[in-house]
Amino acid sequence: MESRARAEPVAVPPHVPNEIVVDFDLYEKRRGLVPAQDWWLELRDGQSSPLAWTPRNGGHWIALRGAAIKEVLSDSDRFSSRYINVPRIDHSAHSTPAPLPISLDPPLHGPYRAILNPLVAPGPVRDKEDLIRSVAAGFLDGFKDAGRCEFMSAFARRIPAAVVLAMADLPLSDAATISDLSSGVTRPKHPNDSTESLQGLVDYFRPVSDTRRGGSGRDVISRIVNGQVNGDRLGEDDAVGMVLQFVGAGLDTTGSIMGYAMFYLARHPDQQHRLVENPELIPRAAEELVRRFPIASVGREVRQDISFHGFNLKTEDMILAPTALINLDEALFPNPVEVDFDRPSALNNTFGEGQHRCPGGILARTEVRIALQEWLKRIPQFELAADAVDFENGIVANMDALPLKWSH
Amino acid sequence: MVKVVFNREDGGRCEIEAPLDASIMQAARDNGIAGVTGECGGFAACGTCHVYVDAAWTSRLPPPTAAELAMLEVVVSPQDNSRLSCQIQLAHDLDGIVLGLPPSQY
Protein backbone atom coordinates (compact mmCIF):
# COMPACT_ATOMS: atom_id res chain seq x y z
CA MET A 1 0.00 0.00 0.00
CA GLU A 2 1.12 3.50 -0.81
CA SER A 3 1.24 5.43 2.44
CA ARG A 4 3.10 8.49 1.26
CA ALA A 5 1.52 11.04 -1.02
CA ARG A 6 3.33 10.76 -4.31
CA ALA A 7 4.85 13.86 -5.70
CA GLU A 8 2.47 15.19 -8.34
CA PRO A 9 3.49 14.08 -11.83
CA VAL A 10 4.78 16.72 -14.21
CA ALA A 11 3.97 16.92 -17.93
CA VAL A 12 6.09 14.80 -20.25
CA PRO A 13 8.42 17.19 -22.08
CA PRO A 14 8.47 17.02 -25.89
CA HIS A 15 11.98 15.54 -26.11
CA VAL A 16 10.92 12.41 -24.17
CA PRO A 17 9.36 9.69 -26.37
CA ASN A 18 6.09 8.36 -24.97
CA GLU A 19 7.08 4.72 -25.26
CA ILE A 20 9.68 5.03 -22.51
CA VAL A 21 7.48 6.91 -20.03
CA VAL A 22 6.84 4.85 -16.88
CA ASP A 23 4.92 5.66 -13.70
CA PHE A 24 7.82 5.17 -11.32
CA ASP A 25 8.10 6.73 -7.88
CA LEU A 26 11.61 6.43 -6.41
CA TYR A 27 10.16 6.74 -2.91
CA GLU A 28 7.71 3.88 -3.30
CA LYS A 29 6.91 1.75 -0.26
CA ARG A 30 5.67 -1.81 -0.48
CA ARG A 31 4.80 -4.42 2.10
CA GLY A 32 5.77 -7.93 1.08
CA LEU A 33 8.63 -10.34 0.59
CA VAL A 34 10.16 -8.81 -2.53
CA PRO A 35 13.13 -6.62 -1.59
CA ALA A 36 13.49 -3.13 -3.11
CA GLN A 37 16.42 -4.21 -5.33
CA ASP A 38 14.05 -6.48 -7.22
CA TRP A 39 11.61 -3.66 -7.93
CA TRP A 40 14.36 -2.24 -10.12
CA LEU A 41 14.41 -5.56 -11.99
CA GLU A 42 10.67 -5.30 -12.60
CA LEU A 43 11.15 -1.80 -14.01
CA ARG A 44 14.13 -2.81 -16.18
CA ASP A 45 12.63 -6.05 -17.46
CA GLY A 46 9.44 -4.23 -18.47
CA GLN A 47 11.45 -1.98 -20.82
CA SER A 48 13.35 -2.86 -23.94
CA SER A 49 15.13 0.47 -23.88
CA PRO A 50 18.25 1.31 -21.83
CA LEU A 51 16.55 4.43 -20.47
CA ALA A 52 13.11 5.16 -19.04
CA TRP A 53 11.52 8.45 -17.98
CA THR A 54 9.09 9.06 -15.13
CA PRO A 55 6.96 12.16 -14.47
CA ARG A 56 7.21 11.61 -10.66
CA ASN A 57 9.52 13.53 -8.34
CA GLY A 58 10.04 16.43 -10.69
CA GLY A 59 10.29 14.21 -13.77
CA HIS A 60 13.53 12.40 -14.49
CA TRP A 61 15.30 9.86 -16.67
CA ILE A 62 16.31 6.47 -15.27
CA ALA A 63 19.31 4.55 -16.64
CA LEU A 64 18.47 0.85 -16.67
CA ARG A 65 21.58 -1.02 -17.92
CA GLY A 66 24.81 -1.46 -16.04
CA ALA A 67 27.06 0.15 -18.64
CA ALA A 68 24.81 3.22 -18.99
CA ILE A 69 24.48 3.63 -15.22
CA LYS A 70 28.26 3.51 -14.81
CA GLU A 71 28.59 6.23 -17.46
CA VAL A 72 26.07 8.43 -15.66
CA LEU A 73 27.88 8.00 -12.35
CA SER A 74 31.41 8.51 -13.62
CA ASP A 75 31.32 10.85 -16.63
CA SER A 76 31.30 14.26 -15.01
CA ASP A 77 31.76 15.97 -18.38
CA ARG A 78 28.19 15.04 -19.27
CA PHE A 79 26.59 14.41 -15.87
CA SER A 80 26.99 16.86 -12.99
CA SER A 81 26.72 16.01 -9.30
CA ARG A 82 25.42 19.50 -8.55
CA TYR A 83 22.06 17.88 -7.82
CA ILE A 84 21.86 14.24 -6.79
CA ASN A 85 18.35 14.11 -5.29
CA VAL A 86 15.05 13.90 -7.12
CA PRO A 87 13.28 16.23 -6.82
CA ARG A 88 16.32 18.51 -6.65
CA ILE A 89 17.17 20.05 -3.30
CA ASP A 90 18.12 23.64 -3.96
CA HIS A 91 20.51 24.46 -1.13
CA SER A 92 20.94 28.10 -2.04
CA ALA A 93 17.17 28.66 -1.75
CA HIS A 94 17.09 27.14 1.74
CA SER A 95 20.46 28.46 2.94
CA THR A 96 21.62 24.98 3.90
CA PRO A 97 25.24 24.13 3.05
CA ALA A 98 25.38 21.60 0.21
CA PRO A 99 26.59 18.17 1.29
CA LEU A 100 30.24 17.90 0.26
CA PRO A 101 32.01 16.59 -1.66
CA ILE A 102 29.12 14.52 -3.09
CA SER A 103 27.64 17.60 -4.81
CA LEU A 104 30.93 18.76 -6.39
CA ASP A 105 32.28 18.17 -9.88
CA PRO A 106 35.94 18.13 -10.92
CA PRO A 107 38.25 19.92 -10.55
CA LEU A 108 36.82 21.08 -7.21
CA HIS A 109 35.77 17.61 -6.09
CA GLY A 110 39.23 16.05 -5.79
CA PRO A 111 40.78 18.31 -3.13
CA TYR A 112 37.66 18.16 -0.95
CA ARG A 113 37.45 14.41 -1.30
CA ALA A 114 41.14 14.11 -0.42
CA ILE A 115 40.28 15.33 3.10
CA LEU A 116 37.89 12.40 3.63
CA ASN A 117 39.78 9.56 1.94
CA PRO A 118 42.44 8.97 4.63
CA LEU A 119 39.79 8.90 7.39
CA VAL A 120 38.23 5.70 6.07
CA ALA A 121 41.18 4.10 4.25
CA PRO A 122 42.11 0.44 4.83
CA GLY A 123 44.52 1.16 7.69
CA PRO A 124 42.14 3.17 9.91
CA VAL A 125 39.30 0.77 9.10
CA ARG A 126 41.42 -2.15 10.22
CA ASP A 127 42.12 -0.26 13.44
CA LYS A 128 38.34 -0.03 14.01
CA GLU A 129 37.74 -3.79 13.78
CA ASP A 130 37.99 -4.41 17.53
CA LEU A 131 35.64 -1.52 18.22
CA ILE A 132 33.12 -2.80 15.66
CA ARG A 133 33.35 -6.32 17.09
CA SER A 134 32.80 -5.23 20.68
CA VAL A 135 29.94 -2.93 19.71
CA ALA A 136 28.22 -5.73 17.76
CA ALA A 137 28.80 -8.25 20.55
CA GLY A 138 27.44 -5.84 23.13
CA PHE A 139 24.17 -5.25 21.27
CA LEU A 140 23.76 -8.98 20.58
CA ASP A 141 24.36 -9.99 24.18
CA GLY A 142 21.63 -7.54 25.14
CA PHE A 143 18.88 -9.23 23.12
CA LYS A 144 19.94 -12.75 22.13
CA ASP A 145 18.19 -14.42 25.11
CA ALA A 146 14.91 -12.77 24.18
CA GLY A 147 14.64 -15.07 21.15
CA ARG A 148 13.54 -12.21 18.93
CA CYS A 149 14.43 -8.69 17.91
CA GLU A 150 13.52 -5.93 15.55
CA PHE A 151 16.77 -6.15 13.63
CA MET A 152 16.90 -2.62 12.22
CA SER A 153 16.52 -0.70 15.47
CA ALA A 154 18.17 -3.26 17.78
CA PHE A 155 21.24 -3.94 15.65
CA ALA A 156 21.57 -2.77 12.03
CA ARG A 157 21.20 0.97 12.69
CA ARG A 158 23.01 0.91 16.02
CA ILE A 159 26.34 -0.50 14.80
CA PRO A 160 27.12 2.14 12.15
CA ALA A 161 25.82 4.83 14.50
CA ALA A 162 28.08 3.68 17.34
CA VAL A 163 31.09 3.44 15.03
CA VAL A 164 30.69 6.80 13.29
CA LEU A 165 29.87 8.62 16.53
CA ALA A 166 32.95 7.10 18.18
CA MET A 167 35.04 8.23 15.19
CA ALA A 168 33.48 11.69 15.47
CA ASP A 169 33.84 11.89 19.26
CA LEU A 170 30.12 12.60 19.66
CA PRO A 171 27.79 11.17 22.34
CA LEU A 172 26.16 7.88 21.36
CA SER A 173 22.92 9.21 22.84
CA ASP A 174 22.62 11.49 19.78
CA ALA A 175 22.47 8.52 17.41
CA ALA A 176 18.67 8.39 17.09
CA THR A 177 18.37 12.14 16.38
CA ILE A 178 21.00 12.12 13.65
CA SER A 179 19.76 8.86 12.20
CA ASP A 180 16.15 10.10 11.91
CA LEU A 181 17.23 13.35 10.24
CA SER A 182 19.48 11.46 7.88
CA SER A 183 16.55 9.21 6.86
CA GLY A 184 14.41 12.29 6.29
CA VAL A 185 16.84 13.51 3.64
CA THR A 186 17.13 10.23 1.75
CA ARG A 187 13.54 8.99 2.25
CA PRO A 188 11.37 12.06 2.81
CA LYS A 189 8.09 11.38 4.60
CA HIS A 190 6.43 14.51 3.21
CA PRO A 191 7.32 16.87 0.35
CA ASN A 192 9.33 19.29 2.53
CA ASP A 193 11.01 16.58 4.60
CA SER A 194 14.29 16.49 2.66
CA THR A 195 14.87 20.19 3.13
CA GLU A 196 13.67 20.32 6.75
CA SER A 197 15.70 17.27 7.78
CA LEU A 198 18.76 18.69 6.09
CA GLN A 199 18.25 21.90 8.06
CA GLY A 200 18.01 19.79 11.23
CA LEU A 201 21.35 18.16 10.45
CA VAL A 202 22.91 21.54 9.79
CA ASP A 203 21.58 22.87 13.11
CA TYR A 204 23.15 19.89 14.89
CA PHE A 205 26.52 19.90 13.15
CA ARG A 206 27.21 23.62 12.79
CA PRO A 207 27.94 24.26 16.49
CA VAL A 208 30.02 21.06 16.73
CA SER A 209 32.04 22.05 13.66
CA ASP A 210 32.51 25.62 14.88
CA THR A 211 33.78 24.41 18.25
CA ARG A 212 36.37 22.12 16.71
CA ARG A 213 37.67 24.56 14.11
CA GLY A 214 41.17 25.64 14.96
CA GLY A 215 41.60 22.80 17.46
CA SER A 216 44.02 19.90 17.19
CA GLY A 217 41.60 16.99 17.75
CA ARG A 218 42.21 13.75 15.85
CA ASP A 219 38.51 12.81 15.64
CA VAL A 220 37.04 12.81 12.13
CA ILE A 221 35.10 16.05 12.62
CA SER A 222 38.23 17.93 13.74
CA ARG A 223 40.19 16.45 10.85
CA ILE A 224 37.49 17.56 8.38
CA VAL A 225 36.83 21.08 9.67
CA ASN A 226 40.57 21.79 9.86
CA GLY A 227 41.17 20.33 6.42
CA GLN A 228 42.63 22.34 3.58
CA VAL A 229 41.58 22.74 -0.01
CA ASN A 230 44.34 23.90 -2.35
CA GLY A 231 46.21 25.40 0.59
CA ASP A 232 43.27 27.26 2.14
CA ARG A 233 41.37 26.16 5.21
CA LEU A 234 37.80 25.04 4.52
CA GLY A 235 35.17 27.76 4.81
CA GLU A 236 32.59 27.39 7.59
CA ASP A 237 29.73 26.30 5.35
CA ASP A 238 31.96 23.89 3.45
CA ALA A 239 33.15 22.39 6.73
CA VAL A 240 29.58 21.80 7.91
CA GLY A 241 28.62 20.37 4.52
CA MET A 242 31.51 17.92 4.69
CA VAL A 243 30.80 16.88 8.27
CA LEU A 244 27.10 16.28 7.84
CA GLN A 245 27.66 14.22 4.77
CA PHE A 246 30.42 12.12 6.34
CA VAL A 247 28.47 11.35 9.50
CA GLY A 248 25.04 11.13 7.87
CA ALA A 249 26.19 8.84 5.08
CA GLY A 250 27.75 6.44 7.55
CA LEU A 251 24.57 6.17 9.60
CA ASP A 252 21.87 5.49 7.10
CA THR A 253 23.37 3.35 4.38
CA THR A 254 25.25 0.63 6.20
CA GLY A 255 22.24 -0.27 8.34
CA SER A 256 20.09 -0.64 5.24
CA ILE A 257 22.60 -2.99 3.62
CA MET A 258 22.69 -5.11 6.79
CA GLY A 259 18.89 -5.19 6.81
CA TYR A 260 18.62 -6.51 3.27
CA ALA A 261 21.40 -9.04 3.86
CA MET A 262 19.69 -10.39 6.98
CA PHE A 263 16.28 -10.42 5.28
CA TYR A 264 17.81 -12.75 2.70
CA LEU A 265 19.55 -14.98 5.24
CA ALA A 266 16.45 -15.18 7.43
CA ARG A 267 14.61 -16.80 4.53
CA HIS A 268 17.48 -19.13 3.53
CA PRO A 269 18.23 -21.52 6.40
CA ASP A 270 20.48 -23.60 4.10
CA GLN A 271 22.77 -20.60 3.60
CA GLN A 272 22.76 -19.83 7.35
CA HIS A 273 23.75 -23.43 8.03
CA ARG A 274 26.56 -23.32 5.51
CA LEU A 275 28.06 -20.20 7.10
CA VAL A 276 27.75 -21.57 10.63
CA GLU A 277 29.48 -24.81 9.56
CA ASN A 278 32.09 -22.91 7.50
CA PRO A 279 32.70 -19.57 9.19
CA GLU A 280 35.71 -18.99 6.96
CA LEU A 281 33.15 -18.35 4.19
CA ILE A 282 31.61 -15.39 6.01
CA PRO A 283 33.92 -12.71 4.55
CA ARG A 284 33.07 -13.84 0.99
CA ALA A 285 29.41 -14.21 1.91
CA ALA A 286 29.33 -10.68 3.29
CA GLU A 287 30.84 -9.35 0.05
CA GLU A 288 28.31 -11.31 -2.00
CA LEU A 289 25.35 -10.07 0.03
CA VAL A 290 26.62 -6.50 -0.35
CA ARG A 291 26.82 -7.10 -4.12
CA ARG A 292 23.34 -8.61 -4.36
CA PHE A 293 21.58 -5.92 -2.33
CA PRO A 294 22.83 -2.43 -3.29
CA ILE A 295 20.78 0.33 -1.72
CA ALA A 296 21.89 3.58 -3.38
CA SER A 297 20.22 5.28 -6.36
CA VAL A 298 21.54 8.79 -6.82
CA GLY A 299 20.80 11.25 -9.56
CA ARG A 300 22.92 13.41 -11.82
CA GLU A 301 22.07 16.58 -13.71
CA VAL A 302 22.64 16.60 -17.46
CA ARG A 303 25.18 19.35 -18.20
CA GLN A 304 24.31 20.13 -21.80
CA ASP A 305 22.06 18.76 -24.53
CA ILE A 306 23.44 15.33 -25.39
CA SER A 307 22.53 12.17 -27.19
CA PHE A 308 22.73 9.26 -24.77
CA HIS A 309 21.99 5.66 -25.72
CA GLY A 310 19.72 6.83 -28.50
CA PHE A 311 17.83 9.54 -26.59
CA ASN A 312 18.10 13.32 -26.51
CA LEU A 313 18.81 14.53 -23.00
CA LYS A 314 18.43 18.26 -22.37
CA THR A 315 20.48 20.58 -20.19
CA GLU A 316 19.34 20.37 -16.54
CA ASP A 317 17.39 17.14 -17.05
CA MET A 318 17.82 14.84 -14.07
CA ILE A 319 18.84 11.20 -14.57
CA LEU A 320 18.77 8.52 -11.90
CA ALA A 321 21.52 5.89 -11.60
CA PRO A 322 20.37 2.85 -9.57
CA THR A 323 23.42 0.85 -8.43
CA ALA A 324 21.23 -2.27 -8.10
CA LEU A 325 20.90 -2.39 -11.88
CA ILE A 326 24.69 -2.44 -12.28
CA ASN A 327 25.28 -5.39 -9.99
CA LEU A 328 22.17 -7.20 -11.25
CA ASP A 329 23.07 -6.81 -14.92
CA GLU A 330 23.69 -10.20 -16.53
CA ALA A 331 26.25 -8.59 -18.85
CA LEU A 332 28.44 -7.75 -15.84
CA PHE A 333 27.73 -10.59 -13.38
CA PRO A 334 26.65 -14.07 -14.48
CA ASN A 335 23.40 -15.21 -12.81
CA PRO A 336 23.33 -11.88 -11.02
CA VAL A 337 20.18 -12.48 -8.97
CA GLU A 338 21.55 -15.65 -7.40
CA VAL A 339 23.30 -15.24 -4.04
CA ASP A 340 26.38 -17.39 -4.57
CA PHE A 341 28.94 -17.43 -1.76
CA ASP A 342 31.38 -19.18 -4.12
CA ARG A 343 31.18 -16.43 -6.74
CA PRO A 344 34.70 -15.35 -7.75
CA SER A 345 35.70 -12.14 -6.03
CA ALA A 346 35.23 -9.14 -8.31
CA LEU A 347 34.73 -5.43 -7.80
CA ASN A 348 31.07 -4.50 -7.82
CA ASN A 349 29.23 -1.19 -7.78
CA THR A 350 27.21 -1.17 -4.57
CA PHE A 351 29.37 1.80 -3.59
CA GLY A 352 29.14 3.48 -6.97
CA GLU A 353 31.62 4.11 -9.76
CA GLY A 354 34.19 6.75 -10.60
CA GLN A 355 35.50 9.56 -8.48
CA HIS A 356 32.33 9.76 -6.36
CA ARG A 357 32.54 6.09 -5.38
CA CYS A 358 31.64 5.96 -1.69
CA PRO A 359 34.76 6.55 0.42
CA GLY A 360 33.13 4.65 3.29
CA GLY A 361 32.71 1.43 1.31
CA ILE A 362 35.55 -0.36 3.04
CA LEU A 363 34.26 0.62 6.47
CA ALA A 364 30.71 -0.41 5.58
CA ARG A 365 31.78 -3.82 4.28
CA THR A 366 33.89 -4.39 7.36
CA GLU A 367 30.88 -3.61 9.56
CA VAL A 368 28.66 -6.00 7.59
CA ARG A 369 31.24 -8.80 7.81
CA ILE A 370 31.89 -8.42 11.54
CA ALA A 371 28.17 -8.03 12.32
CA LEU A 372 27.49 -11.28 10.48
CA GLN A 373 30.34 -13.11 12.22
CA GLU A 374 29.24 -12.02 15.68
CA TRP A 375 25.57 -12.68 14.97
CA LEU A 376 26.08 -16.23 13.65
CA LYS A 377 28.34 -17.10 16.61
CA ARG A 378 25.46 -16.38 18.95
CA ILE A 379 22.36 -16.93 16.82
CA PRO A 380 23.16 -19.70 14.32
CA GLN A 381 19.55 -20.23 13.21
CA PHE A 382 16.93 -17.55 12.78
CA GLU A 383 13.89 -16.71 10.72
CA LEU A 384 11.54 -13.91 9.80
CA ALA A 385 9.02 -13.20 12.56
CA ALA A 386 6.47 -11.61 10.22
CA ASP A 387 4.53 -12.51 7.08
CA ALA A 388 5.83 -9.47 5.27
CA VAL A 389 8.24 -6.56 5.61
CA ASP A 390 7.72 -2.86 4.87
CA PHE A 391 10.29 -2.05 2.22
CA GLU A 392 11.02 1.42 1.02
CA ASN A 393 12.98 2.57 -2.01
CA GLY A 394 14.72 5.94 -2.21
CA ILE A 395 18.10 7.57 -2.77
CA VAL A 396 18.93 5.01 -0.08
CA ALA A 397 16.59 2.01 0.04
CA ASN A 398 15.49 0.94 3.47
CA MET A 399 13.10 -1.18 5.44
CA ASP A 400 11.03 0.13 8.30
CA ALA A 401 11.46 -2.92 10.49
CA LEU A 402 12.82 -6.43 10.17
CA PRO A 403 11.36 -8.69 12.88
CA LEU A 404 13.50 -11.81 13.44
CA LYS A 405 13.07 -14.77 15.84
CA TRP A 406 15.13 -17.77 16.91
CA SER A 407 15.01 -20.53 19.51
CA HIS A 408 17.22 -20.02 22.52
CA MET B 1 54.36 -2.82 -24.19
CA VAL B 2 56.54 -2.91 -21.08
CA LYS B 3 57.17 -5.65 -18.55
CA VAL B 4 56.01 -5.36 -14.93
CA VAL B 5 57.06 -7.86 -12.26
CA PHE B 6 55.02 -8.49 -9.10
CA ASN B 7 56.55 -10.36 -6.18
CA ARG B 8 54.19 -11.79 -3.61
CA GLU B 9 54.96 -12.11 0.09
CA ASP B 10 54.99 -15.90 -0.19
CA GLY B 11 57.81 -15.75 -2.76
CA GLY B 12 55.51 -16.14 -5.77
CA ARG B 13 56.37 -14.04 -8.82
CA CYS B 14 54.24 -12.84 -11.68
CA GLU B 15 55.29 -11.04 -14.86
CA ILE B 16 52.88 -9.15 -17.06
CA GLU B 17 53.16 -7.16 -20.29
CA ALA B 18 51.24 -3.91 -20.22
CA PRO B 19 50.61 -1.03 -22.65
CA LEU B 20 52.26 2.36 -22.14
CA ASP B 21 49.05 4.27 -21.66
CA ALA B 22 48.03 2.31 -18.54
CA SER B 23 48.69 2.87 -14.88
CA ILE B 24 50.29 -0.04 -13.06
CA MET B 25 47.02 -0.52 -11.13
CA GLN B 26 45.06 -0.79 -14.38
CA ALA B 27 47.62 -3.16 -15.86
CA ALA B 28 47.51 -5.33 -12.73
CA ARG B 29 43.71 -5.44 -12.79
CA ASP B 30 43.59 -6.20 -16.51
CA ASN B 31 45.95 -9.12 -15.91
CA GLY B 32 44.15 -10.45 -12.86
CA ILE B 33 46.90 -9.77 -10.33
CA ALA B 34 45.03 -10.81 -7.18
CA GLY B 35 46.98 -8.65 -4.74
CA VAL B 36 45.98 -5.33 -6.38
CA THR B 37 42.35 -4.26 -5.94
CA GLY B 38 42.09 -0.64 -7.05
CA GLU B 39 38.56 -0.07 -5.78
CA CYS B 40 38.29 3.60 -6.66
CA GLY B 41 39.49 3.09 -10.22
CA GLY B 42 42.53 5.37 -10.14
CA PHE B 43 41.85 8.51 -8.09
CA ALA B 44 44.29 7.84 -5.22
CA ALA B 45 41.14 7.69 -3.12
CA CYS B 46 40.91 4.18 -1.65
CA GLY B 47 44.41 2.90 -0.86
CA THR B 48 43.76 -0.59 -2.27
CA CYS B 49 46.35 -0.62 -5.08
CA HIS B 50 49.26 -0.35 -2.67
CA VAL B 51 52.63 -1.77 -3.82
CA TYR B 52 56.25 -1.70 -2.66
CA VAL B 53 58.65 -0.39 -5.29
CA ASP B 54 61.93 -2.30 -5.60
CA ALA B 55 64.90 -0.14 -4.54
CA ALA B 56 66.41 -0.20 -8.03
CA TRP B 57 63.33 1.56 -9.43
CA THR B 58 62.25 4.13 -6.86
CA SER B 59 64.40 6.94 -8.26
CA ARG B 60 62.85 6.56 -11.72
CA LEU B 61 59.38 7.40 -10.48
CA PRO B 62 57.98 10.90 -10.18
CA PRO B 63 57.44 11.76 -6.51
CA PRO B 64 53.98 11.18 -5.01
CA THR B 65 51.48 14.06 -4.88
CA ALA B 66 50.26 15.35 -1.52
CA ALA B 67 47.05 13.36 -1.92
CA GLU B 68 48.97 10.13 -2.58
CA LEU B 69 51.31 10.83 0.34
CA ALA B 70 48.33 11.24 2.66
CA MET B 71 46.94 7.89 1.52
CA LEU B 72 50.30 6.12 1.87
CA GLU B 73 50.11 6.81 5.60
CA VAL B 74 46.82 4.95 5.89
CA VAL B 75 47.30 1.88 3.70
CA VAL B 76 47.78 -1.48 5.41
CA SER B 77 51.46 -2.26 6.21
CA PRO B 78 53.07 0.88 4.76
CA GLN B 79 56.85 1.01 4.14
CA ASP B 80 59.26 3.70 2.96
CA ASN B 81 58.99 2.37 -0.59
CA SER B 82 55.17 2.24 -0.62
CA ARG B 83 53.31 3.72 -3.60
CA LEU B 84 49.78 3.64 -4.97
CA SER B 85 50.10 1.80 -8.26
CA CYS B 86 47.25 3.83 -9.80
CA GLN B 87 49.52 6.88 -9.60
CA ILE B 88 52.35 5.27 -11.57
CA GLN B 89 51.93 5.65 -15.31
CA LEU B 90 53.84 3.07 -17.34
CA ALA B 91 56.69 4.45 -19.48
CA HIS B 92 59.59 3.06 -21.51
CA ASP B 93 62.09 3.66 -18.72
CA LEU B 94 59.93 1.55 -16.37
CA ASP B 95 60.24 -1.55 -18.57
CA GLY B 96 60.95 -4.40 -16.18
CA ILE B 97 59.93 -2.54 -13.00
CA VAL B 98 59.81 -4.83 -9.95
CA LEU B 99 57.07 -4.35 -7.36
CA GLY B 100 56.30 -6.13 -4.12
CA LEU B 101 52.70 -6.87 -3.10
CA PRO B 102 51.68 -6.15 0.48
CA PRO B 103 50.34 -9.05 2.59
CA SER B 104 46.85 -7.61 2.14
CA GLN B 105 45.19 -4.47 0.80
CA TYR B 106 42.72 -4.44 3.74
Side-chain angles (χ1 to χ4, degrees):
Chain A
M1 278 296 295
E2 182 60 51
S3 58
R4 173 185 166 276
R6 287 185 170 196
E8 282 301 303
V10 300
V12 180
H15 66 287
V16 174
N18 276 322
E19 61 270 22
I20 65 154
V21 175
V22 291
D23 185 9
F24 174 85
D25 179 8
L26 175 63
Y27 302 103
E28 185 181 0
K29 290 180 172 192
R30 280 193 220 171
R31 184 167 175 77
L33 293 171
V34 179
Q37 291 76 21
D38 297 18
W39 311 352
W40 290 108
L41 300 181
E42 292 167 21
L43 175 68
R44 179 194 68 191
D45 296 342
Q47 293 292 118
S48 54
S49 134
L51 301 186
W53 192 91
T54 176
R56 304 281 172 187
N57 298 302
H60 60 86
W61 300 89
I62 309 164
L64 299 173
R65 314 278 162 202
I69 299 166
K70 285 187 175 192
E71 281 182 78
V72 172
L73 288 172
S74 59
D75 185 353
S76 56
D77 289 339
R78 287 181 293 170
F79 303 102
S80 169
S81 291
R82 185 164 71 125
Y83 297 106
I84 59 155
N85 293 68
V86 290
R88 294 160 210 251
I89 300 179
D90 186 351
H91 298 280
S92 57
H94 301 285
S95 45
T96 45
L100 299 178
I102 201 169
S103 58
L104 294 178
D105 292 315
L108 212 46
H109 172 262
Y112 281 84
R113 174 68 185 254
I115 296 172
L116 300 185
N117 292 330
L119 306 178
V120 276
V125 169
R126 195 185 252 209
D127 294 342
K128 296 288 173 302
E129 289 204 10
D130 290 345
L131 168 74
I132 299 167
R133 205 170 288 286
S134 71
V135 159
F139 293 144
L140 276 160
D141 290 338
F143 62 70
K144 71 171 192 292
D145 291 338
R148 58 195 306 125
C149 77
E150 194 290 278
F151 182 77
M152 299 308 291
S153 58
F155 195 65
R157 300 219 174 287
R158 292 178 75 178
I159 293 174
V163 171
V164 81
L165 289 170
M167 290 170 74
D169 195 19
L170 288 170
L172 190 53
S173 51
D174 291 350
T177 308
I178 303 169
S179 180
D180 287 350
L181 290 169
S182 185
S183 303
V185 177
T186 47
R187 291 177 303 279
K189 291 188 168 41
H190 53 84
N192 295 327
D193 199 8
S194 290
T195 308
E196 289 172 15
S197 294
L198 188 59
Q199 184 61 53
L201 285 172
V202 173
D203 292 343
Y204 178 93
F205 282 114
R206 190 181 288 282
V208 178
S209 302
D210 289 350
T211 306
R212 298 188 191 182
R213 267 169 81 82
S216 57
R218 301 304 292 165
D219 64 279
V220 291
I221 292 183
S222 295
R223 302 260 314 262
I224 292 169
V225 299
N226 295 309
Q228 294 201 338
V229 169
N230 300 329
D232 295 322
R233 200 169 70 157
L234 277 183
E236 283 180 28
D237 271 3
D238 283 358
V240 175
M242 294 266 286
V243 167
L244 70 88
Q245 197 205 331
F246 185 88
V247 178
L251 282 177
D252 202 44
T253 48
T254 313
S256 284
I257 293 177
M258 282 186 202
Y260 281 98
M262 285 302 268
F263 169 76
Y264 170 83
L265 284 177
R267 303 187 68 227
H268 292 84
D270 51 327
Q271 299 275 50
Q272 292 176 26
H273 182 71
R274 188 160 179 233
L275 295 182
V276 171
E277 294 297 309
N278 308 279
E280 73 283 359
L281 287 179
I282 295 177
R284 275 299 306 139
E287 296 279 332
E288 170 65 352
L289 289 165
V290 168
R291 179 201 67 83
R292 173 61 180 81
F293 299 106
I295 43 89
S297 301
V298 294
R300 293 282 189 265
E301 185 188 50
V302 177
R303 287 192 144 188
Q304 67 271 316
D305 292 4
I306 52 169
S307 172
F308 187 61
H309 291 267
F311 296 92
N312 294 314
L313 278 53
K314 298 280 185 198
T315 311
E316 297 191 359
D317 278 358
M318 289 298 296
I319 181 165
L320 200 64
T323 51
L325 290 182
I326 311 178
N327 288 359
L328 299 177
D329 187 332
E330 179 88 49
L332 301 175
F333 295 90
N335 302 315
V337 174
E338 187 191 342
V339 173
D340 176 5
F341 297 156
D342 302 314
R343 190 182 288 276
S345 183
L347 279 180
N348 65 64
N349 296 96
T350 293
F351 298 98
E353 170 80 3
Q355 58 222 330
H356 282 283
R357 188 180 172 94
C358 172
I362 298 168
L363 177 62
R365 273 150 43 211
T366 303
E367 291 179 14
V368 172
R369 167 173 56 81
I370 293 175
L372 203 49
Q373 288 169 332
E374 295 304 309
W375 176 283
L376 290 172
K377 261 189 233 169
R378 291 166 180 79
I379 307 173
Q381 271 186 295
F382 56 98
E383 60 187 304
L384 208 55
D387 299 333
V389 175
D390 289 307
F391 294 109
E392 190 175 5
N393 211 346
I395 300 290
V396 179
N398 183 41
M399 59 189 76
D400 268 0
L402 181 64
L404 299 177
K405 64 179 178 184
W406 53 90
S407 20
H408 57 105
Chain B
M1 302 288 272
V2 292
K3 189 173 81 174
V4 183
V5 180
F6 293 94
N7 289 320
R8 289 197 307 269
E9 268 238 318
D10 64 7
R13 175 189 166 93
C14 193
E15 280 187 27
I16 62 170
E17 293 280 331
L20 284 170
D21 59 352
S23 71
I24 289 182
M25 180 278 289
Q26 196 58 54
R29 267 174 56 167
D30 290 348
N31 286 276
I33 301 294
V36 175
T37 311
E39 279 194 28
C40 79
F43 296 95
C46 69
T48 65
C49 65
H50 172 209
V51 294
Y52 305 124
V53 178
D54 186 87
W57 296 87
T58 45
S59 62
R60 300 197 204 185
L61 301 179
T65 61
E68 184 187 348
L69 275 176
M71 291 306 287
L72 290 173
E73 289 177 16
V74 289
V75 295
V76 169
S77 315
Q79 296 178 4
D80 289 345
N81 59 341
S82 288
R83 291 296 301 262
L84 297 182
S85 59
C86 73
Q87 300 300 298
I88 305 174
Q89 210 67 22
L90 284 170
H92 282 299
D93 66 343
L94 297 181
D95 192 8
I97 187 171
V98 179
L99 304 163
L101 293 169
S104 170
Q105 294 288 350
Y106 299 95

